[in-house]
Amino acid sequence: MSINEMKLGIVGLGKMGGNLSLQAIEKNISVVGKVRNGKPELENQGVKLVTDYDSFFSFLGNPRVIYLSLPAGHTVDEVIGDLLPYLNQGDVILDGGNSFYLDSIEREKRLYKKGIYFLDCGTSGGIDGARHGACFMVGGRDQGVRIAEPFLKKLAINSDGFVHTGAPGSGHFVKLVHNGIEFGMLQAIGEGVSLLLEKNDFNLNLEEIFHNWSNGSVIRGWLVELMEKGLKETNFSEIQSYIEDTGEVNWLIQDAINKEIPIPVISASIMSLFRSRIKDIITYKAIALMRHEFGGHPFGKNEDIIKERSTSRITKI
């Protein structure tokens, strides 16, 4: 497939899908997005936007490659149901959201019987990664991965930002473990901020400390850098410590319980997170700040996220 022939369909043009579409345009991948309402900020930069699936599919070449950037749960199945009448054998659907891996396995089985490849595509790197180069963990059959691989390698941060993890479901499983590790790291950094700011006789400059830690320290890394960036941009004292999340890491904990695999740090990070919804605590102000920086997550209680969490599971563990 030549560069000029690369055409990608995206359903779900929110923060992640929208940024991914802009990155694709810059890398000579033609993009068509299915929307309900106009998004001039995308259309003005070269993304073709349509409101119906006839126009959506007429734009794409063969085999069609379609990336879903949707909340986990019933929305994914509803959109797949809408796509099915238009799909041909050999077409590829990538679920780039945080779907539960057992749900992805079942979806892949159903679609493969119809000759359609379904790939569970764990996508990391946050909003900035979607815009400038993401990290993809992809599960699925080899034939389907070979079709989608040229697109994902161009949209990845570098050649190592793409990995075919193996069988269907493995991509979303790896991403789920990734998210559990992320929660544990966020908790540790947040607790460190509490230690720096509370009950000591030092007048510490938090921004300077995190800048220092970003330069050669053992704990240097993107989350530490985002903490420094967030402190420059946000009045830390005004951040709400109330943290909403869509509950995916809860699935990981339940899965570990069923498999009798001990994950005390990840489990404790989730249990501790619930405290943010009861009492204003510095630890959770720091976590909220980092989550906002990498994912655009809102500060404080958010009814849309509560609704998303309540409808995000299909398969019962």
Side-chain angles (χ1 to χ4, degrees):
M1 181 183 296
S2 71
I3 289 177
N4 292 331
E5 294 175 330
M6 296 185 77
K7 295 183 177 181
L8 177 66
I10 298 181
V11 182
L13 289 170
K15 295 173 182 176
M16 290 291 291
N19 273 3
L20 201 67
S21 70
L22 293 177
Q23 186 201 162
I25 291 294
E26 290 179 352
K27 294 181 176 177
N28 297 311
I29 300 173
S30 299
V31 177
V32 60
K34 169 66 170 62
V35 295
R36 293 180 180 176
N37 302 302
K39 287 183 174 284
E41 69 278 10
L42 299 179
E43 201 157 25
N44 292 341
Q45 297 183 70
V47 180
K48 180 177 176 61
L49 300 181
V50 300
T51 57
D52 64 281
Y53 281 115
D54 286 318
S55 303
F56 181 82
F57 277 90
S58 67
F59 178 87
L60 297 172
N62 287 301
R64 279 79 69 90
V65 179
I66 300 167
Y67 182 95
L68 308 182
S69 184
L70 302 167
H74 296 291
T75 302
V76 175
D77 291 293
E78 289 170 2
V79 169
I80 290 174
D82 292 338
L83 294 171
L84 267 176
Y86 300 90
L87 292 168
N88 297 327
Q89 290 191 359
D91 288 346
V92 178
I93 296 177
L94 297 113
D95 180 0
N98 282 326
S99 293
F100 184 53
Y101 74 96
L102 294 181
D103 294 343
S104 298
I105 290 171
E106 292 304 312
R107 288 172 182 137
E108 194 278 336
K109 288 178 182 177
R110 294 198 302 267
L111 289 170
Y112 188 67
K113 289 178 181 178
K114 301 178 184 296
I116 298 160
Y117 297 113
F118 178 87
L119 308 180
D120 47 292
C121 180
T123 305
S124 186
I127 297 171
D128 185 74
R131 185 65 183 86
H132 301 292
C135 173
F136 298 109
M137 301 142 259
V138 184
R141 297 175 191 264
D142 292 344
Q143 306 96 308
V145 173
R146 280 197 293 270
I147 295 169
E149 186 173 350
F151 294 87
L152 296 176
K153 282 192 170 180
K154 285 180 74 69
L155 295 171
I157 184 69
N158 54 37
S159 60
D160 295 322
F162 166 88
V163 63
H164 179 198
T165 52
S170 64
H172 278 157
F173 177 72
V174 170
K175 179 56 164 51
L176 182 58
V177 175
H178 162 288
N179 290 353
I181 294 170
E182 172 192 299
F183 269 59
M185 293 170 71
L186 288 169
Q187 182 69 25
I189 294 171
E191 290 176 7
V193 171
S194 287
L195 290 167
L196 291 171
L197 293 184
E198 294 188 275
K199 298 180 181 179
N200 64 63
D201 297 326
F202 306 112
N203 183 22
L204 299 174
N205 186 314
L206 209 57
E207 183 183 325
E208 287 184 354
I209 290 167
F210 273 88
H211 179 70
N212 173 261
W213 285 352
S214 296
N215 289 272
S217 81
V218 171
I219 63 167
R220 67 187 181 273
W222 195 45
L223 292 178
V224 170
E225 291 171 5
L226 288 178
M227 188 67 199
E228 178 197 354
K229 179 175 179 286
L231 289 167
K232 291 178 180 178
E233 299 172 345
T234 309
N235 187 336
F236 187 73
S237 64
E238 295 180 358
I239 296 173
Q240 296 183 57
S241 76
Y242 191 105
I243 297 171
E244 282 290 11
D245 74 285
T246 50
E248 289 95 348
V249 179
N250 299 358
W251 311 338
L252 183 64
I253 294 171
Q254 184 61 61
D255 205 29
I257 290 171
N258 291 345
K259 295 173 180 176
E260 298 186 355
I261 298 173
I263 52 169
V265 172
I266 295 172
S267 299
S269 73
I270 292 297
M271 297 299 109
S272 184
L273 194 68
F274 297 151
R275 295 179 63 211
S276 75
R277 301 169 191 175
I278 301 169
K279 184 180 179 182
D280 193 50
I281 301 172
I282 285 178
T283 296
Y284 305 107
K285 288 178 181 284
I287 294 173
L289 181 57
M290 286 181 283
R291 285 171 55 80
H292 179 75
E293 287 296 321
F294 68 70
H297 299 288
F299 295 124
K301 192 170 184 178
N302 186 283
E303 292 299 329
D304 290 337
I305 294 178
I306 293 171
K307 181 179 179 182
E308 182 180 329
R309 184 171 63 237
S310 68
T311 59
S312 63
R313 282 298 313 282
I314 296 173
T315 302
K316 302 297 182 184
I317 297 179

